[in-house]
């Protein structure tokens, strides 16, 4: 159900994810449904992404007797790139409610398409966490690449990048700047347009989530 492209790009072809992504692409899908879809797709994708996470054996007492079970060996930190990444983080926290959350506020300058950081708050202990960075759109790759550099500077060592829609330009940029970070996406679209939007894409994810579009 998952397709691996190169050594570091994983595309989720699960029918439920694809059906929800198609609804999210639809320009007539209303904001409340769009928000719900982003959260649901992120939760389904994180289920797959965490498949290989290490577990540790722990003692547990059932109502009948002591036994042992499995628990996640390392903390998980979810880092949404604001604003649109917040829509995905919500869904992931339903599945992993104990996760730490770091916030990175980054927007693309509309003229230059260069990333601008306006907020950063990461957990102190991020070094020992498995870090999942989330942003629905991987377009030029500038925001994600910049965000990953900030997170590495804070000490993070195990990082995965999760998006909904990627394109060849963004994948090439991340592969060049952060070859150690695997990319998980539900789609690799055709290309970018002149304004740096993904085609066919789903439009401006932040504006669709928060009703701030033109
Ligand atoms: C969008 C998106 C990514 C970025 C992708 O955010 O959520 O963060 O663009 O583009 P890039 O790969 O070319 O950097 P945007 O800048 O629109 O900010 P917003 O989430 O606050 O709307
Ligand atoms: N940011 C978005 O929200 N959508 C795109 O297609 C590209 C960047």
């Amino acid at each position: 159900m998952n397709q691996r492209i190169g050594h570091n790009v994983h595309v989720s072809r699960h029918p439920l994810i694809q059906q929800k992504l198609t609804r999210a692409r639809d320009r007539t899908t209303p904001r409340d449904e769009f928000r719900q879809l982003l959260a649901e797709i992120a939760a389904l994708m994180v289920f797959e992404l965490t498949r290989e996470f290490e577990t540790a054996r722990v003692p547990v007492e059932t109502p009948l007797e002591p036994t042992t079970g499995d628990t996640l060996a390392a903390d998980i930190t979810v880092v949404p790139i604001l604003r649109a990444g917040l829509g995905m983080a919500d869904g992931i926290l339903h599945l992993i409610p104990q996760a730490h959350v770091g916030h990175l506020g980054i927007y693309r300058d509309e003229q230059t398409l260069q990333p601008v950081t306006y907020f950063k708050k990461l957990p102190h202990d991020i070094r020992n966490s498995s870090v999942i960075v989330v942003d629905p759109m991987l377009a030029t790759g500038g925001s994600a690449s910049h965000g990953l550099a900030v997170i590495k500077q804070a000490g993070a060592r195990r990082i995965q990048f999760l998006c909904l829609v990627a394109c060849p330009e963004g994948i090439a940029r991340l592969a060049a700047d952060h070859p150690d970070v695997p990319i998980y996406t539900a789609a690799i679209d055709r290309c970018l347009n002149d304004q740096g939007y993904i085609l066919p894409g789903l439009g401006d994810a932040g504006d669709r989530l928060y009703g701030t579009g033109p």
Side-chain angles (χ1 to χ4, degrees):
M1 217 54 88
N2 259 28
Q3 188 186 5
R4 194 168 174 165
I5 298 177
H7 75 291
N8 243 358
V9 183
H10 306 257
V11 186
S12 264
R13 304 277 185 209
H14 193 291
L16 280 181
I17 292 176
Q18 291 304 319
Q19 186 197 26
K20 289 176 191 296
L21 176 60
T22 303
R23 284 293 303 155
R25 287 187 192 275
D26 189 331
R27 64 187 303 163
T28 68
T29 295
R31 183 158 56 256
D32 51 354
E33 187 185 346
F34 183 81
R35 211 174 265 160
Q36 187 178 341
L37 287 163
L38 243 60
E40 288 174 355
I41 296 169
L44 289 168
M45 290 181 75
V46 99
F47 188 70
E48 191 57 40
L49 171 154
T50 50
R51 179 178 291 279
E52 306 295 335
F53 276 20
E54 273 181 37
T55 54
R57 300 295 286 167
V58 287
V60 59
E61 280 194 34
T62 79
L64 299 178
E65 63 175 19
T67 183
T68 51
D70 292 321
T71 189
L72 286 166
D75 281 348
I76 294 179
T77 297
V78 181
V79 182
I81 296 183
L82 312 184
R83 294 172 300 165
L86 283 174
M88 296 176 73
D90 285 347
I92 294 173
L93 291 176
H94 276 296
L95 266 196
I96 316 173
Q98 77 279 20
H100 301 253
V101 181
H103 292 89
L104 266 190
I106 301 175
Y107 71 86
R108 265 191 341 176
D109 181 281
E110 282 181 9
Q111 308 304 324
T112 65
L113 299 185
Q114 292 306 305
V116 180
T117 303
Y118 59 90
F119 187 76
K120 181 182 92 162
K121 187 82 183 172
L122 300 172
H124 291 301
D125 199 20
I126 201 164
R127 182 176 178 78
N128 297 315
S129 237
S130 293
V131 180
I132 305 170
V133 180
V134 296
D135 189 332
M137 311 307 285
L138 180 61
T140 64
S143 305
S145 178
H146 183 67
L148 289 170
V150 170
I151 290 163
K152 285 180 178 175
Q153 223 166 34
R157 294 171 300 173
R158 287 188 302 271
I159 312 175
Q160 293 159 300
F161 181 78
L162 175 60
C163 61
L164 260 47
V165 181
C167 63
E169 294 89 333
I171 288 175
R173 171 78 188 267
L174 274 202
D177 293 355
H178 302 283
D180 54 316
V181 177
I183 301 167
Y184 290 80
T185 183
I188 301 176
D189 280 8
R190 196 172 74 248
C191 62
L192 294 174
N193 71 7
D194 290 345
Q195 285 83 45
Y197 280 90
I198 298 176
L199 296 176
L202 51 74
D204 189 307
D207 282 353
R208 290 194 65 188
L209 264 177
Y210 298 113
T212 47

